[in-house]
């Protein structure tokens, strides 16, 4: 029997890429690959790329330069290393990657990674393989399911893709061009995925999509289901104690989703709802198709049914034509909403998007200064939100043993890390997968520190011991 080949995947960017990386492992495991954390001993290195962040493609080329050295060293030791570029940069710049980076064997878009075994074989035979067309078939119908041991090894939280692509065409965004039009997976396939994960120890599911609340998958009743209705069904899956979803668009928050936040205890009261700007003029230039007032009304609808809900968001600073008045409107919106956290970025043009051709670019120094002001405001809000937990008892889903002996780490409903010492005679592993009340005593950077507020059930055993 041939020894296993070693696979190293480096993922950039969004949660979708984390999920895609796991599915690439699932595709390649039957081909004799096993994962390695080191590039140096890998037989196949995959860069799973993201095109959202600034200078994304240049970072990929820089990484390929380092990989060329690793490949040369492997060759000197009589070992062949293959290199693949996957993801959104591959989709957007496939031919350019082929031209600029001869070291790359395979270039594959995010809709075609289920073809990786065939592409690697083609590269062996022909020297190079490129596939960036949107395939006719649904890749999910061809992806092998991960083995039970693999699911358990990945932990008690899992991502499940329910929707891909976007039809919004925001002027700054490449997603419609790299991920394609909105497509939703059938309800039955998602339920089967979630049940399989739950049967193998997963307790928390995050449903993901580029525009996840535009979900409209075919249901078993012959009708298209909304995200809210899907969440209602998944909340009934035995073993699933927490549900989340990301990322949402304000225009697709419908009554079913609001009702789910009202009715489902398993649905966490924490929503990532990007707004990008607080200025109506800039929102129009971004083609967001909503105003700042529209966004505030959506927030109010959530809060009306779930007073404990908290929000995070995305902001772009320095979009072409942004004035100080526009930026002040963003600061005003952030101040009014009050976020538990947010991501803010300086605008950078993406080739092929309408905004890339816009004039009136904001000077870099002005963008830097505005970004600093915005991030300071967001940091103050996040700090206040975290400090408010001190002295409170909160539910924590425990995920793993901590770095310190006897310590266990979990997350609150708001994804805050919580570090706990359960006490003498209690093995941290026995608490993994349980949701238990924790009294928060202090805060260390972004992590909450506390102690159990109740004694865990006597029958608690590690998930690995139960096989669940």
């Amino acid at each position: 029997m041939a020894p296993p080949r070693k696979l190293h995947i480096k993922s950039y960017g969004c949660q979708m890429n984390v999920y895609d990386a796991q599915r690439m492992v699932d595709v390649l495991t039957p081909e004799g690959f096993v994962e390695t954390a080191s590039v140096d001993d890998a037989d196949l290195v995959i860069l799973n790329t993201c095109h959202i962040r600034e200078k994304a493609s240049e970072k990929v080329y820089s990484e390929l330069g380092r990989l060329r050295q690793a490949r040369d060293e492997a060759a000197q030791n009589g070992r062949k290393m293959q290199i693949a570029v996957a993801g959104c940069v591959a989709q957007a710049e496939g031919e350019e990657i082929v031209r600029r980076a001869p070291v790359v064997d395979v270039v594959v878009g995010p809709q075609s990674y289920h073809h990786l075994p065939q592409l690697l074989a083609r590269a062996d035979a022909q020297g190079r393989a490129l596939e960036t067309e949107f395939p006719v078939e649904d890749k999910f119908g061809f992806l092998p399911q991960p083995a039970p041991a693999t699911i358990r090894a990945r932990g008690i939280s899992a991502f499940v893709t329910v929707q891909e692509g976007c039809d919004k065409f925001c002027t700054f965004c490449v997603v419609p061009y790299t991920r394609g039009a909105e497509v939703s997976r059938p309800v039955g396939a998602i339920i089967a995925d979630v049940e399989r994960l739950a049967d193998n120890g997963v307790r928390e599911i995050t449903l993901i999509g580029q525009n996840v609340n535009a979900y409209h998958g075919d249901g078993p009743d012959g009708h298209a289901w909304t995200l809210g209705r899907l969440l209602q069904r998944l909340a009934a899956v035995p073993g699933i104690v927490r549900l989340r979803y990301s990322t949402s668009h304000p225009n697709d928050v419908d009554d079913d989703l609001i009702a789910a936040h009202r009715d489902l205890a398993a649905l966490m009261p924490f929503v990532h709802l990007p707004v990008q700007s607080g200025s109506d003029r800039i929102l129009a230039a971004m083609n967001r198709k909503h105003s700042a007032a529209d966004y505030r009304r959506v927030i109010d609808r959530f809060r009306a049914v779930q007073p404990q809900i908290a929000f995070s968001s995305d902001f772009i600073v320095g979009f072409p034509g942004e004035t100080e008045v526009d930026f002040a409107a963003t600061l005003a919106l952030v101040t009014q909403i009050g976020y538990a956290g947010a991501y803010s970025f300086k605008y950078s043009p993406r080739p092929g998007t309408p905004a890339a051709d816009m004039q009136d670019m904001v000077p870099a120094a002005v963008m830097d200064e505005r970004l600093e002001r915005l991030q300071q405001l967001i940091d103050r809000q996040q700090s206040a939100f975290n400090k408010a937990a001190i002295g409170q008892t909160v539910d924590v889903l425990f995920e793993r043993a901590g770095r310190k002996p006897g310590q266990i780490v979990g997350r609150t409903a708001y994804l805050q890390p919580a570090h706990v010492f359960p006490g003498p005679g209690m093995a941290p592993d026995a608490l993994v997968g349980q949701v238990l009340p924790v009294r928060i005593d202090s805060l260390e950077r972004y992590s909450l520190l506390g102690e159990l507020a109740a004694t865990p059930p006597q029958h608690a055993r590690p998930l690995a011991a139960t096989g669940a």
Side-chain angles (χ1 to χ4, degrees):
M1 181 179 295
R5 292 179 288 175
K6 294 185 178 180
L7 165 67
H8 177 83
I9 302 181
K10 182 174 183 178
S11 283
Y12 305 78
C14 66
Q15 295 171 327
M16 187 76 80
N17 271 14
V18 175
Y19 173 87
D20 285 347
Q22 291 180 345
R23 301 316 309 268
M24 289 181 203
V25 172
D26 298 337
V27 168
L28 292 170
T29 295
E31 304 298 316
F33 284 94
V34 295
E35 283 191 273
T36 176
S38 172
V39 169
D40 295 333
D41 65 349
D43 300 295
L44 171 61
V45 177
I46 300 176
L47 300 183
N48 189 26
T49 61
C50 175
H51 211 288
I52 299 299
R53 303 294 180 246
E54 185 177 7
K55 299 180 180 178
S57 58
E58 292 308 312
K59 291 177 182 177
V60 171
Y61 291 118
S62 178
E63 184 68 26
L64 288 173
R66 289 187 287 270
L67 287 176
R68 181 178 58 190
Q69 297 177 1
R71 180 172 177 154
D72 290 344
E73 291 176 6
Q76 291 172 7
N77 294 323
R79 185 168 55 83
K80 180 180 180 180
M81 175 189 289
Q82 287 184 297
I83 298 172
V85 178
C88 290
V89 173
Q91 185 72 40
E93 304 188 23
E95 295 288 352
E96 182 70 1
I97 293 170
V98 169
R99 186 185 69 82
R100 287 184 56 179
V103 70
V104 175
D105 299 284
V106 171
V107 179
V108 58
Q111 306 303 334
S112 301
Y113 61 73
H114 57 301
H115 292 155
L116 268 169
Q118 299 95 312
L119 293 171
L120 290 168
R122 191 193 310 168
D124 273 335
Q126 302 175 9
R128 188 74 65 90
L130 168 68
E131 185 170 330
T132 55
E133 299 296 324
F134 290 109
V136 174
E137 78 272 8
D138 175 12
K139 69 183 178 188
F140 292 99
F142 295 85
L143 292 172
Q145 295 299 331
T150 299
I151 296 174
R152 290 193 289 269
R154 288 173 177 167
I156 55 96
S157 297
F159 297 127
V160 174
T161 293
V162 300
Q163 179 272 343
E164 287 194 294
C166 185
D167 296 343
K168 294 294 186 287
F169 287 93
C170 298
T171 57
F172 56 82
C173 186
V174 298
V175 166
Y177 312 104
T178 59
R179 291 277 184 171
E182 289 177 357
V183 177
S184 296
R185 298 180 61 203
V187 170
I190 296 167
I191 293 172
D193 282 356
V194 172
E195 289 178 340
R196 185 179 299 105
L197 292 167
D199 288 344
N200 289 284
V202 171
R203 298 293 172 253
E204 178 181 65
I205 296 291
T206 300
L207 306 181
I208 56 175
Q210 272 80 34
N211 190 20
V212 70
N213 60 329
Y215 177 80
H216 56 276
D218 292 335
D221 56 0
H223 298 285
W225 283 29
T226 62
L227 180 65
R229 189 172 181 188
L230 176 64
L231 287 164
Q232 293 272 2
R233 173 62 180 83
L234 296 180
V237 174
I240 298 302
V241 297
R242 284 185 172 180
L243 290 169
R244 304 181 187 273
Y245 58 91
S246 187
T247 293
S248 298
H249 193 286
N251 289 4
D252 292 317
V253 177
D254 61 13
D255 291 342
D256 282 354
L257 188 57
I258 296 295
H261 278 278
R262 180 193 64 206
D263 299 337
L264 300 180
L267 182 56
M268 294 297 95
F270 187 44
V271 176
H272 184 64
L273 192 65
V275 64
Q276 308 301 351
S277 175
S279 163
D280 287 348
R281 194 177 69 86
I282 296 301
L283 288 170
M286 290 176 168
N287 195 37
R288 290 289 291 173
K289 300 184 179 71
H290 64 78
S291 67
D294 293 333
Y295 182 83
R296 292 185 181 97
R297 282 190 286 270
V298 172
I299 297 289
D300 290 343
R301 290 168 64 205
F302 277 113
R303 285 175 169 164
V305 301
Q306 176 49 272
Q308 302 303 314
I309 203 165
F311 298 92
S312 61
S313 192
D314 292 341
F315 294 91
I316 294 175
V317 170
F319 190 81
E322 183 189 68
T323 66
E324 184 61 28
V325 172
D326 294 319
F327 179 67
T330 295
L331 294 179
L333 182 140
V334 173
T335 300
Q336 181 177 359
I337 299 297
Y339 289 98
Y343 303 95
S344 56
F345 308 95
K346 293 183 292 184
Y347 171 75
S348 60
R350 296 292 178 266
T353 61
D357 297 325
M358 291 181 179
Q359 305 302 310
D360 199 13
M361 287 289 292
V362 177
V366 174
M367 281 200 278
D368 288 339
E369 188 271 339
R370 289 178 184 169
L371 181 66
E372 183 175 359
R373 275 194 283 160
L374 175 59
Q375 196 57 54
Q376 285 177 353
L377 175 57
I378 291 168
D379 288 346
R380 289 195 298 270
Q381 290 187 346
Q382 183 174 12
S383 178
F385 184 83
N386 289 338
K387 287 179 180 177
I390 297 175
Q392 303 296 314
T393 297
V394 301
D395 284 342
V396 172
L397 172 60
F398 288 111
E399 299 176 341
R400 57 182 172 80
R403 293 182 179 180
K404 299 178 181 179
Q407 185 187 62
I408 188 166
V409 179
R411 290 188 181 272
T412 71
Y414 306 104
L415 289 176
Q416 300 152 299
H419 298 255
V420 176
F421 287 97
M426 190 175 299
D429 286 350
L431 304 184
V432 170
Q434 295 193 57
V435 178
L436 296 171
V438 172
R439 185 171 59 253
I440 304 302
D441 299 323
S442 60
L443 179 66
E444 186 177 279
R445 291 179 62 82
Y446 296 107
S447 297
L448 307 178
L449 308 180
E451 57 186 52
L452 291 179
T455 303
Q458 292 297 313
H459 65 273
R461 292 181 294 159
L463 290 176
T466 65

